[in-house]
Amino acid sequence: MLIKRRLIILTVLPVVLSTLAISVALVWTSRGLLFKKDYDYQKSLADVLAHNFYEAHFAHIKGALLHEGHFFRLVPEAGYQALTLTQQERHMKELVEQTPYLTQLIVLDTSGRQEIKLVRIDSGVVSEQDFTNEAGDKGFTVAMKDRDYVSPVFIWQATNHVEIAVPLKDTLGKVIRVLKARVNLERMWQEGVLRDSPIGLTCYLVDNRGNIIAHPERSVMHQRMNVSHLQLIQDFLSGMPCHNERRADYETFTGMEVVGVYATVPKTGWALVLERPAADIYSPLYTILAVGVIASIISLAGFLSWGVLST
């Protein structure tokens, strides 16, 4: 009888240990597959968010600024005729009023002289034309060369802003004016990307120096935190495409281990970074492994206790 029980224990013990080993191997294999699936999902999501952020805001602003109805009217049998400055200013004012993240709009002639200047003050938009000449302004200089310009981020009224300058051209393609818009980046970010970001993922914006310029937490933005030491950001700054999965698992600036990806925002030199806690990705596998280990330990302890009591 004793020999029989020992044979049972010796038979069951390898089975329990083998089951535990197989469970560990399966979890380890599944870990890689799960990481790959989540990484691909995050990368696709980051690409979409970066594209939508540009198209829904920067491209939208450019299209709204350059809308021909602000400057010209179509007269039957006479073609397009320029509106008066008063009429143009009225159209521009309506645009600023309808776009909450526009805080200033300036129209410059080809010499750099202000023709229209509108500023958002509290909830209203007022004209503050002072006929300042901005011929030496970088945004004006770039736009006069028929190129769009997005300035580095600067702080205005304790909030991150950027300046956008775009050229207005006539029907022959000649630049006839430059439009400059000051944009509240924080408000744009909140109304755009943060609203569309899934729960559980941290999404922030980094400029071409590695500085965080938009983040869900305002305190992080106002610290002007630089994260160029992160491997992911180093890839971005060096121009490497975001496809290296081995560099996606890292410790972020908060000290938490995350899986991160980035996508470039068109025509800005910025990167949209999307991070997810690594523990959230692997938690289902860890739960399964823990249950398997506990069940194996209980089974093994039960058989050993049974064997001891039997002797």
Side-chain angles (χ1 to χ4, degrees):
M1 185 68 178
L2 180 60
I3 295 175
K4 183 177 180 181
R5 288 173 179 173
R6 289 181 176 177
L7 287 175
I8 293 174
I9 293 174
L10 292 175
T11 303
V12 172
L13 180 59
V15 173
V16 173
L17 295 178
S18 298
T19 302
L20 179 60
I22 292 173
S23 299
V24 172
L26 288 174
V27 167
W28 183 258
T29 303
S30 300
R31 185 180 187 274
L33 296 175
L34 189 62
F35 175 86
K36 171 66 175 174
K37 181 179 179 180
D38 192 85
Y39 177 87
D40 291 343
Y41 164 74
Q42 279 188 226
K43 185 65 180 75
S44 298
L45 181 60
D47 290 337
V48 171
L49 289 174
H51 175 78
N52 289 349
F53 177 62
Y54 175 78
E55 290 295 331
H57 297 290
F58 285 97
H60 172 74
I61 289 175
K62 178 181 177 181
L65 290 175
L66 300 180
H67 192 279
E68 60 185 22
H70 299 324
F71 305 96
F72 307 99
R73 63 178 177 178
L74 182 61
V75 179
E77 300 180 359
Y80 285 97
Q81 292 184 354
L83 299 178
T84 64
L85 279 178
T86 301
Q87 292 172 322
Q88 293 177 27
E89 184 176 84
R90 185 171 66 251
H91 286 295
M92 293 285 101
K93 185 176 181 180
E94 291 176 356
L95 172 61
V96 177
E97 290 173 340
Q98 295 169 7
T99 312
Y101 44 78
L102 277 181
T103 57
Q104 179 177 278
L105 177 57
I106 298 175
V107 179
L108 305 172
D109 64 15
T110 53
S111 67
R113 187 178 67 89
Q114 287 184 4
E115 291 186 335
I116 298 172
K117 182 178 181 180
L118 299 168
V119 180
R120 182 184 298 279
I121 299 178
D122 297 325
S123 58
V125 179
V126 299
S127 175
E128 288 191 356
Q129 185 176 357
D130 52 17
F131 301 101
T132 301
N133 190 292
E134 300 189 27
D137 179 77
K138 185 173 182 179
F140 172 78
T141 303
V142 172
M144 281 300 297
K145 296 178 181 179
D146 196 13
R147 299 201 307 267
D148 299 341
Y149 172 77
V150 178
S151 76
V153 176
F154 60 91
I155 297 178
W156 186 76
Q157 293 188 349
T159 307
N160 283 356
H161 280 69
V162 293
E163 184 179 88
I164 300 172
V166 293
L168 175 68
K169 296 179 285 187
D170 61 15
T171 55
L172 299 177
K174 181 181 178 180
V175 178
I176 56 175
R177 281 188 181 87
V178 170
L179 283 74
K180 292 174 52 182
R182 186 174 62 202
V183 179
N184 186 327
L185 181 60
E186 292 184 28
R187 184 157 187 174
M188 181 192 292
W189 183 253
Q190 292 168 356
E191 294 183 359
V193 176
L194 292 188
R195 185 180 56 190
D196 299 331
S197 299
I199 297 175
L201 278 75
T202 301
C203 187
Y204 58 93
L205 203 60
V206 175
D207 67 11
N208 58 0
R209 296 180 178 85
N211 298 313
I212 295 179
I213 56 177
H215 191 277
E217 299 179 17
R218 294 193 66 188
S219 60
V220 175
M221 279 189 290
H222 294 167
Q223 290 175 16
R224 304 288 291 177
M225 186 175 294
N226 187 283
V227 290
S228 58
H229 62 283
L230 299 179
Q231 291 182 339
L232 186 76
I233 306 305
Q234 289 175 5
D235 287 350
F236 159 64
L237 296 176
S238 62
M240 288 182 59
C242 183
H243 57 64
N244 193 337
E245 297 174 21
R246 294 182 179 179
R247 297 169 70 90
D249 192 337
Y250 57 91
E251 184 178 292
T252 191
F253 62 91
T254 61
M256 179 185 296
E257 184 182 358
V258 298
V259 174
V261 298
Y262 79 83
T264 55
V265 180
K267 301 182 180 181
T268 61
W270 303 340
L272 182 147
V273 180
L274 203 58
E275 293 178 339
R276 182 179 180 184
D280 291 352
I281 299 175
Y282 305 130
S283 58
L285 295 180
Y286 293 154
T287 301
I288 295 172
L289 180 59
V291 172
V293 170
I294 292 172
S296 299
I297 292 174
I298 292 174
S299 300
L300 182 59
F303 280 116
L304 291 177
S305 301
W306 176 73
V308 170
L309 292 175
S310 300
T311 57

